[in-house]
Amino acid sequence: MEAVVERENMVAALRRVQANKGSAGVDGMSVDELTPYLQSHWPRIKEALLAGRYEPSPVRRVEIPKPDGKGVRQLGIPTVLDRLIQQALHQAMQPLFDPNFSNWSYGFRPNRSAHHAVRQAQVYVSEGRRWVVDMDLEKFFDRVNHDILMSRVARRVKDKRVLRLIRSYLQAGIMEEGLVSQRTEGTPQGGPLSPLLSNILLDDLDKELERRGHAFCRYADDCNVYVRSKQAGERVLASLTRFLHDKLKLRVNPDKSAVDRPWNRKFLGYSMTTHYEPRLKVAPKSVERFKAKLRMLFRHGRGRNLQRFIQELAPVLRGWVNYFRLAEVKGVFEELDQWIRRKLRGLLWRRWKRVYTRVKNLMKRGLDKERAWKSATNGHGPWWNAGASHMNQAFPKKYFDELGLVTLLDQLRTLQGNLRTAVYGTVRTVV
């Protein structure tokens, strides 16, 4: 606990919490209010932590839609003070546990990312493991057994004050509509400590997979095992289902888990081609999810200044293409670019509500009077017109480029070019 509350560790934790921002917990305190609060109250809080008397506040329950649109994911938002203490705990505990984690565990670890996991999966398939055991742990964060988790934490953490504090965070109540309900299992998503705790618990699964000699990748509760036949995959899925139930009290979701070809499944948003040397591509579900997000943004963009809307769209587009920069199949990026430009042309068509307005604006963009009148009175809706030749001629790609629209395909080529340059430079340095 002395290492947790040490000044340098707490300052680093405060900076991290401030950088992450986030909404207030049940006490309504914002991140900006945390520093003034600590200046007045930190000596009392530190004394309570060192004495083992600190009691966390309940977490605020927030429900967000799941990415696939089916159901909601429950988040528990701790107070900013509890986020600070959890972050300090995380920083003190990570060096104790991380060196002993599996090499094939990639989630929430220093110098590791989803991209590393995806690349490793590609290597496995290239080696001939052309079947995947895709395991989905049912409501993992809601089903974590506190006693089992704490026994794993206690293997390396001996300070009883720290163990008590961690259990207090696990059992902190959940406030919803002014009422606090107690929790007897699960670890709330939303706190800085939860990712490390999930890795500590699932390290038992990693070690079991290593003991059996399996080729696997795990990112948080998303675990794929790569095998050479369907029969082997079915045996692995059945035995791991028993292991998780008996040893960790976790349940594999039979509806979402499967033994299948890697190109029929998605892993961390990516899929693969069927080639002998498979190429990475954006999974179709990831494309649909991205389109759904953009549709919502375009609904809010109706009637607004187009250039300003495009500027607000830029970070969303850059963020998406940056995550999928490993993709080697580029057709989907070109199709999305065309779809986005069509949606933008649709915004313009909707804005010109009257026929005369449409004629006038089409003529301004270079269409002759006869064609402008024919186009403006065709009777079709905004989506049809947005894809028609008159709008494509009036508002070509160059028009949107001048407004600053991020082109996904161009951005992808730039990112991959920078990556190749960095790798080439590293090789030359080594040589």
Side-chain angles (χ1 to χ4, degrees):
M1 185 61 80
E2 280 75 13
V4 173
V5 301
E6 188 265 330
R7 177 178 174 78
E8 188 176 336
N9 187 55
M10 292 304 303
V11 169
L14 179 60
R15 287 177 182 151
R16 186 65 181 268
V17 170
Q18 289 172 333
N20 290 340
K21 298 182 180 179
S23 57
V26 295
D27 60 356
M29 185 190 299
S30 68
V31 173
D32 294 335
E33 297 172 303
L34 180 57
T35 300
Y37 179 84
L38 291 172
Q39 289 170 348
S40 302
H41 297 87
W42 175 242
R44 174 182 58 80
I45 297 166
K46 180 179 178 180
E47 182 186 353
L49 288 167
L50 289 171
R53 291 185 283 101
Y54 181 82
E55 292 294 336
S57 301
V59 297
R60 180 169 64 88
R61 173 171 285 174
V62 176
E63 293 183 346
I64 61 171
K66 288 188 175 180
D68 58 7
K70 298 177 182 177
V72 294
R73 177 172 285 130
Q74 293 184 351
L75 299 184
I77 308 300
T79 63
V80 288
L81 175 60
D82 283 326
R83 294 212 291 274
L84 173 70
I85 296 169
Q86 284 194 36
Q87 181 63 39
L89 277 169
H90 184 284
Q91 292 168 182
M93 290 169 59
Q94 181 96 25
L96 295 176
F97 288 94
D98 195 81
N100 296 284
F101 285 155
S102 169
N103 284 333
W104 319 118
S105 163
Y106 297 92
F108 312 116
R109 297 182 61 191
N111 304 314
R112 288 169 175 262
S113 69
H115 287 166
H116 292 115
V118 170
R119 282 290 194 206
Q120 184 59 53
Q122 185 183 24
V123 169
Y124 288 145
V125 180
S126 298
E127 291 172 346
R129 297 178 176 88
R130 297 173 73 81
W131 289 88
V132 61
V133 182
D134 187 355
M135 285 192 304
D136 181 88
L137 299 181
E138 187 172 16
K139 296 182 179 178
F140 169 71
F141 285 95
D142 297 332
R143 297 279 173 84
V144 169
N145 182 286
H146 290 174
D147 292 334
I148 293 175
L149 173 56
M150 290 307 303
S151 71
R152 272 54 177 179
V153 174
R155 289 172 181 173
R156 296 193 176 275
V157 175
K158 303 304 178 185
D159 191 326
K160 291 183 179 179
R161 296 167 298 178
V162 174
L163 294 173
R164 180 189 175 280
L165 180 59
I166 294 171
R167 187 177 278 275
S168 297
Y169 276 121
L170 291 173
Q171 295 178 340
I174 301 172
M175 180 171 285
E176 190 174 19
E177 297 180 354
L179 299 175
V180 177
S181 58
Q182 296 304 311
R183 184 171 55 236
T184 57
E185 64 177 5
T187 172
Q189 295 184 72
L193 196 56
S194 292
L196 177 60
L197 295 179
S198 69
N199 275 336
I200 291 171
L201 181 65
L202 290 175
D203 188 54
D204 278 20
L205 171 62
D206 298 340
K207 295 297 190 288
E208 178 66 15
L209 289 167
E210 288 179 349
R211 187 184 68 78
R212 298 183 187 185
H214 287 309
F216 72 97
C217 298
R218 184 178 67 78
Y219 190 95
D221 58 332
D222 200 345
C223 184
N224 279 5
V225 184
Y226 294 86
V227 295
R228 297 182 185 274
S229 70
K230 186 177 182 180
Q231 292 78 9
E234 288 171 346
R235 287 195 301 271
V236 169
L237 180 58
S239 62
L240 290 179
T241 299
R242 289 193 298 271
F243 172 83
L244 287 163
H245 181 269
D246 296 343
K247 299 294 184 181
L248 300 179
K249 306 302 179 188
L250 296 172
R251 185 182 174 196
V252 173
N253 187 334
D255 297 327
K256 294 184 178 180
S257 302
V259 178
D260 205 343
R261 298 291 195 179
W263 43 87
N264 294 332
R265 309 293 292 183
K266 72 177 179 70
F267 181 49
L268 302 176
Y270 284 85
S271 187
M272 300 181 196
T273 64
T274 61
H275 297 93
Y276 182 76
E277 292 287 340
R279 291 184 293 163
L280 294 175
K281 65 178 186 178
V282 183
K285 285 186 179 178
S286 299
V287 176
E288 286 306 312
R289 188 182 304 166
F290 185 50
K291 280 186 171 182
K293 180 178 182 178
L294 289 177
R295 285 189 188 100
M296 190 178 302
L297 294 176
F298 277 111
R299 279 197 292 272
H300 294 310
R302 292 177 186 176
R304 295 180 54 199
N305 178 276
L306 189 64
Q307 186 168 13
R308 197 172 299 127
F309 175 68
I310 285 174
Q311 289 172 352
E312 292 176 10
L313 208 57
V316 177
L317 301 178
R318 284 199 183 95
W320 190 83
V321 75
N322 186 54
Y323 179 77
F324 286 106
R325 66 182 181 271
L326 300 184
E328 297 160 290
V329 178
K330 299 180 173 62
V332 68
F333 293 87
E334 189 173 6
E335 291 170 8
L336 277 169
D337 281 329
Q338 293 170 358
W339 183 85
I340 290 167
R341 287 194 293 271
R342 185 170 178 177
K343 293 291 285 185
L344 290 170
R345 293 184 187 107
L347 290 181
L348 291 168
W349 190 264
R350 285 178 183 276
R351 188 183 302 169
W352 308 333
K353 295 181 180 180
R354 297 168 56 202
V355 170
Y356 178 75
T357 307
R358 290 171 179 170
V359 172
K360 183 178 70 173
N361 282 297
L362 287 172
M363 289 176 66
K364 274 185 184 178
R365 295 296 304 170
L367 272 66
D368 61 70
K369 186 174 181 180
E370 182 182 353
R371 190 173 180 210
W373 272 101
K374 187 176 179 181
S375 301
T377 57
N378 61 41
H380 291 288
W383 179 247
W384 188 94
N385 278 283
S389 60
H390 54 271
M391 285 296 283
N392 276 272
Q393 181 181 331
F395 298 96
K397 178 180 180 297
K398 182 181 176 183
Y399 172 82
F400 297 108
D401 289 343
E402 290 171 353
L403 291 180
L405 178 65
V406 173
T407 303
L408 298 176
L409 186 58
D410 292 346
Q411 189 78 7
L412 177 68
R413 286 170 175 159
T414 300
L415 288 168
Q416 293 184 342
N418 292 342
L419 181 61
R420 281 192 293 271
T421 302
V423 171
Y424 179 67
T426 303
V427 170
R428 288 195 64 182
T429 302
V430 171
V431 171

